[in-house]
């Protein structure tokens, strides 16, 4: 399942990170991250549990603050950004949470409408319905529109979570473990969905995963987070053509059993 | 292997020292202060979440309605019954309605309502927001460019502040109904006579003070519940703590405020 050719603009960077550091108490999680995300690219971030992958994308979306280093997203410097600018920037970034984070007191329809009506003033009822149906159709779950999140399966919740971010037409998508805990067939569906989103919505994405099939089928480039830094970055084959004991087990566990 | 057995004797577990606890208390106070300021900065600026405020008002009312009706009625009934012998000693049974009315309208109605609402509404606000925090729903609102504070906190605090005075008024009348029932059975007082005697001793200050109390209690219950939930620490344990903390803190503050407001109202009498 090799990935097809994507339409990437290597002249144009949507995210630049230089020397990013982040600690919690004495625990240094990120120790000098350098990263570029190009326009239209899918970048896969691999790494062991607890290496700070979720922390990295939370910093990119402004949920956490960096201790040190420069983070530039869509031309905005996150160190100097104001509250209002951050809110405007966030509309342009889609964040798919590790546990979906659907609003469980609302139906699927209300979940999708929530960000839409609050960000687009004066939008009409017809426009809202059209948008909701368009993104639900894109994730193939139009029939769940009136269900509550508690009535959905894990895979469906993930897809509704993705739909909820797509409704604002984001320029950047951040996926936190989109295939974790799902069966192989659903995983393939999610992988295809990520690629369709890249093509149809023209997004640049960061995909966090442990799943190398997902990495291989969605990633244009792979970055491996080791000891708080990106130590191996490149195509799938480049990253795994190594004897590094910290890298090899990922490959062996996923493909040689 | 060697790393596992590095420290065979676990360090003795000590609670935080008095100094850290004291500084923590001040930090909490500062944070609550900020939380309240944030409420006033955001609650009255458009766009308003009018529908959600209404929904929360309804929730607040529905959650405490049955218990308040029951408690209010029983309190009025029992209070009247238990006060009778003391008054009878002086041959002053005819003052019973006035006594009951003062006790209920000045003190009991707002207090009972607030305590019940703290238990029913405050705890569920704490648990609700706590679980939204833990399951990253609040983060999800934040990253989609919406204002979770406004949608979740402002609406709930407005709802409790508006609803609890209404509930307190209702509690007052239900308690008076309980009192009337007892008086009419024992003394055969008519409804009109009873009501005349009920309103006779009450002054304007009493109404204002009771209303002020109920508003302050409502605000307190909302703010405390939201604060506990909104900043609950990660983990499911945090949800329980938020719910419990909301009830305990709100009840404590309600008593403190009761004392303060009674003092202040005393100056105007
Ligand atoms: N808000 C926080 N407060 C304190 N520590 C945190 C916080 N968020 C994350 N950490 C710590 O940072 C480390 C990295 O966490 P993170 O969630 O980024 O891991 P991850 O790489 O996403 O792992 P996984 O693959 O299991 O999701 C963890 O050890 C965690 O304990
Ligand atoms: Mg994670």
């Amino acid at each position: 399942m090799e990935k097809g050719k994507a339409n990437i603009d290597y002249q144009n960077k949507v995210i630049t990170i230089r020397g990013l550091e982040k600690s919690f108490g004495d625990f240094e999680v990120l120790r000098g991250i350098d990263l570029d995300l190009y326009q239209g690219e899918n970048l896969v971030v691999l790494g062991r549990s607890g290496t700070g992958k979720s922390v990295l994308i939370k910093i990119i979306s402004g949920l956490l603050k960096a201790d040190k280093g420069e983070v530039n997203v869509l031309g905005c410097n996150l160190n100097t950004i104001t509250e209002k600018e951050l809110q405007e920037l966030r509309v342009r970034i889609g964040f798919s949470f590790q546990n979906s984070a659907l609003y469980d007191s609302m139906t699927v329809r209300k979940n999708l409408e929530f960000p839409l009506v609050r960000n687009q003033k004066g939008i009409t009822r017809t426009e809202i319905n059209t948008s909701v149906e368009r993104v639900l159709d894109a994730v193939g779950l139009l029939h769940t529109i009136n269900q509550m999140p508690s009535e959905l399966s894990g895979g469906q919740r993930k897809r509704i979570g993705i739909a909820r971010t797509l409704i604002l037409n984001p320029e950047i998508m951040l996926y936190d473990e989109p295939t974790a805990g799902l069966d192989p067939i659903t995983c393939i569906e999610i992988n295809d969905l990520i690629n369709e989103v890249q093509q149809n919505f023209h997004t640049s994405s960061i995909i966090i995963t442990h799943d190398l099939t997902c990495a291989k089928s969605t990633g244009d480039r792979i970055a491996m987070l080791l000891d708080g830094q990106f130590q191996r970055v490149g195509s799938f084959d480049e990253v795994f053509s190594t004897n590094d004991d910290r890298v090899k087990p990922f490959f062996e566990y996923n493909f040689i059993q | 292997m060697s790393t596992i057995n590095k420290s065979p004797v676990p360090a003795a577990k000590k609670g935080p020292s008095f100094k850290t606890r004291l500084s923590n208390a001040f930090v909490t106070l500062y944070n609550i202060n900020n939380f309240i300021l944030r409420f006033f900065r955001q609650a009255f600026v458009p766009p308003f979440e009018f529908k959600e405020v209404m929904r929360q008002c309804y929730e607040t009312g529905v959650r405490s309605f049955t218990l308040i009706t029951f408690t209010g009625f029983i309190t009025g009934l029992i209070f009247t019954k238990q006060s009778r012998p003391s008054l009878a000693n002086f041959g002053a049974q005819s003052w019973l309605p006035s006594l009951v009315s003062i006790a209920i309208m000045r003190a009991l109605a707002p207090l009972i309502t607030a305590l019940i609402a703290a238990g029913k509404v405050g705890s569920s606000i704490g648990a609700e927001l706590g679980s939204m925090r833990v399951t990253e729903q609040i983060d999800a609102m934040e990253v989609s460019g919406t204002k979770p504070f406004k949608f979740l906190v402002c609406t709930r605090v407005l709802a409790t502040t508006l609803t609890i005075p209404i509930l307190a008024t209702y509690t007052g009348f239900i308690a008076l109904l309980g009192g009337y029932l007892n008086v009419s059975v024992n003394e055969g007082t008519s409804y009109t006579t009873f009501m005349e005697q009920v309103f006779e001793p009450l002054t304007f200050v009493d109404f204002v003070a009771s209303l002020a109390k109920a508003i302050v209690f409502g605000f307190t219950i909302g703010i405390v519940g939201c604060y506990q939930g909104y900043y609950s620490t990660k983990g499911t344990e945090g949800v329980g703590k938020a719910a419990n903390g909301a009830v305990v803190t709100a009840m404590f503050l309600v008593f403190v405020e009761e004392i303060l407001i009674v003092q202040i109202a005393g100056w105007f009498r």
Side-chain angles (χ1 to χ4, degrees):
Chain A
M1 253 193 313
E2 284 295 337
K3 162 123 211 232
K5 201 96 197 100
N7 199 356
I8 303 170
D9 178 2
Y10 284 103
Q11 306 303 318
N12 215 338
K13 293 174 190 169
V14 290
I15 297 178
T16 9
I17 297 177
R18 293 288 176 270
L20 167 63
E21 293 179 17
K22 177 76 187 172
S23 316
F24 292 104
D26 295 336
F27 180 43
E28 295 173 27
V29 181
L30 303 177
R31 309 178 195 171
I33 295 274
D34 295 321
L35 173 77
D36 290 316
L37 181 70
Y38 297 102
Q39 169 79 54
E41 175 190 40
N42 275 358
L43 175 74
V44 168
V45 172
L46 291 172
R48 287 186 61 179
S49 237
T51 46
K53 306 181 297 297
S54 299
V55 169
L56 174 66
I57 60 170
K58 281 181 183 167
I59 289 174
I60 292 173
S61 61
L63 280 176
L64 291 173
K65 270 214 152 359
D67 295 339
K68 224 172 147 193
E70 196 132 310
V71 183
N72 201 301
V73 182
L74 293 168
C76 301
N77 184 340
L78 292 193
N79 295 335
T80 57
I81 200 165
T82 64
E83 188 71 26
K84 195 161 182 301
E85 287 167 339
L86 180 61
Q87 208 184 332
E88 282 161 14
L89 175 64
R90 279 169 166 170
V91 177
R92 302 164 69 192
I93 306 174
F95 196 127
S96 156
F97 281 83
Q98 196 160 352
N99 58 14
S100 309
L102 299 185
Y103 310 135
D104 27 55
S105 61
M106 306 179 200
T107 61
V108 168
R109 180 196 287 279
K110 291 276 175 231
N111 261 279
L112 299 179
E113 284 177 4
F114 188 85
L116 193 63
V117 294
R118 279 169 186 74
N119 282 302
Q120 300 183 4
K121 306 277 153 357
I123 187 169
T124 65
R125 192 71 241 173
T126 341
E127 288 169 324
I128 295 173
N129 288 343
T130 317
S131 295
V132 167
E133 280 159 25
R134 178 183 63 107
V135 291
L136 271 183
D137 198 37
V139 300
L141 286 175
L142 200 49
H143 59 282
T144 64
I145 190 159
N146 290 320
Q147 282 176 321
M148 296 301 284
S150 55
E151 299 164 349
L152 303 174
S153 74
Q156 288 176 323
R157 294 168 65 96
K158 276 263 157 63
R159 282 195 275 171
I160 298 294
I162 294 172
R164 190 177 62 188
T165 64
L166 289 177
I167 202 157
L168 293 174
N169 289 317
E171 294 159 54
I172 297 177
M173 281 295 290
L174 306 170
Y175 298 95
D176 200 347
E177 307 201 11
T179 58
L182 303 178
D183 71 87
I185 295 173
T186 314
C187 282
I188 293 170
E189 285 172 8
I190 297 266
N191 295 344
D192 291 344
L193 176 61
I194 291 173
N195 285 331
E196 281 164 24
V197 167
Q198 181 189 23
Q199 276 162 19
N200 301 339
F201 291 77
H202 311 289
T203 55
S204 325
S205 314
I206 294 181
I207 300 145
I208 290 176
T209 187
H210 299 290
D211 169 6
L212 287 206
T213 314
C214 172
K216 198 167 186 177
S217 55
T218 61
D220 300 306
R221 206 156 50 107
I222 314 279
M224 188 105 196
L225 192 56
L226 296 167
D227 303 325
Q229 291 182 328
F230 282 125
Q231 300 196 348
R232 299 193 69 81
V233 182
S235 71
F236 189 87
D237 297 328
E238 281 163 8
V239 168
F240 287 101
S241 58
T242 173
N243 278 324
D244 191 329
D245 283 338
R246 298 169 305 177
V247 179
K248 261 192 348 190
F250 274 84
F251 189 77
E252 286 165 0
Y253 181 77
N254 276 271
F255 292 111
I256 311 164
Q257 277 183 347
Chain B
M1 284 308 275
S2 60
T3 51
I4 294 171
N5 293 326
K6 230 175 194 168
S7 65
V9 186
K13 228 183 176 178
K14 268 195 289 183
S17 72
F18 179 71
K19 228 170 148 186
T20 42
R21 266 195 234 166
L22 195 70
S23 72
N24 281 349
F26 276 107
V27 169
T28 312
L29 220 58
Y30 173 78
N31 287 341
I32 292 187
N33 196 37
N34 275 351
F35 198 74
I36 294 173
L37 287 180
R38 212 166 143 198
F39 167 79
F40 283 110
R41 268 203 300 269
Q42 294 196 14
F44 306 106
V45 213
F48 300 108
E49 298 282 358
F50 188 71
K51 242 179 162 176
E52 182 66 11
V53 174
M54 285 295 116
R55 198 177 75 87
Q56 291 301 332
C57 284
Y58 176 78
E59 291 279 320
T60 309
V62 163
R63 274 175 191 150
S64 30
F65 188 77
T66 324
L67 200 55
I68 279 179
T69 308
F70 195 66
T71 317
F73 186 78
I74 298 287
T75 308
L77 193 82
I78 302 291
F79 185 83
T80 313
K81 190 173 156 60
Q82 302 284 35
S83 308
R84 179 171 296 107
S86 315
L87 287 182
N89 283 342
F90 307 103
Q93 278 117 308
S94 57
W95 284 15
L96 202 49
S98 308
L99 175 76
V100 171
S101 134
I102 289 179
I104 289 172
M105 284 309 191
R106 276 194 191 167
L108 292 178
L111 198 61
I112 292 173
T113 314
L115 293 180
I116 289 177
K120 294 287 283 187
V121 181
S123 66
S124 60
I125 290 179
E128 220 173 353
L129 295 196
S131 69
M132 288 190 79
R133 168 64 71 193
V134 168
T135 56
E136 298 181 310
Q137 291 176 49
I138 296 181
D139 287 342
M141 287 185 178
E142 201 126 1
V143 294
S144 64
T146 56
K147 290 185 175 147
F149 190 91
K150 189 167 187 142
F151 181 75
L152 299 172
V153 176
C154 293
T155 54
R156 282 170 171 78
V157 176
L158 283 175
T160 52
T161 313
L162 288 173
T163 315
I164 287 178
I166 298 173
L167 285 174
T169 313
Y170 169 75
T171 313
F173 281 102
I174 285 290
L176 285 180
L177 187 70
Y180 167 70
L181 207 71
N182 190 279
V183 173
S184 83
V185 167
N186 286 282
E187 275 89 13
T189 316
S190 79
Y191 181 74
T192 30
T193 322
F194 179 80
M195 275 302 163
E196 269 165 23
Q197 286 181 321
V198 157
F199 283 104
E200 208 242 355
L202 295 176
T203 62
F204 182 67
V205 175
D206 291 326
F207 283 108
V208 173
S210 285
L211 190 68
K213 260 195 245 175
I215 291 174
V216 171
F217 292 164
F219 182 77
T220 306
I221 291 166
I223 282 282
V224 170
C226 287
Y227 178 82
Q228 294 279 352
Y230 204 75
Y231 291 121
S232 73
T233 39
K234 307 256 161 177
T236 33
E237 198 189 343
V239 180
K241 270 192 191 153
N244 192 36
V247 180
V248 176
T249 317
M251 283 190 176
F252 176 74
L253 289 177
V254 161
F255 284 123
V256 173
E257 289 161 356
E258 165 81 30
I259 293 170
L260 289 178
I261 295 175
V262 166
Q263 279 296 331
I264 295 169
W267 297 334
F268 289 94
R269 284 219 167 83

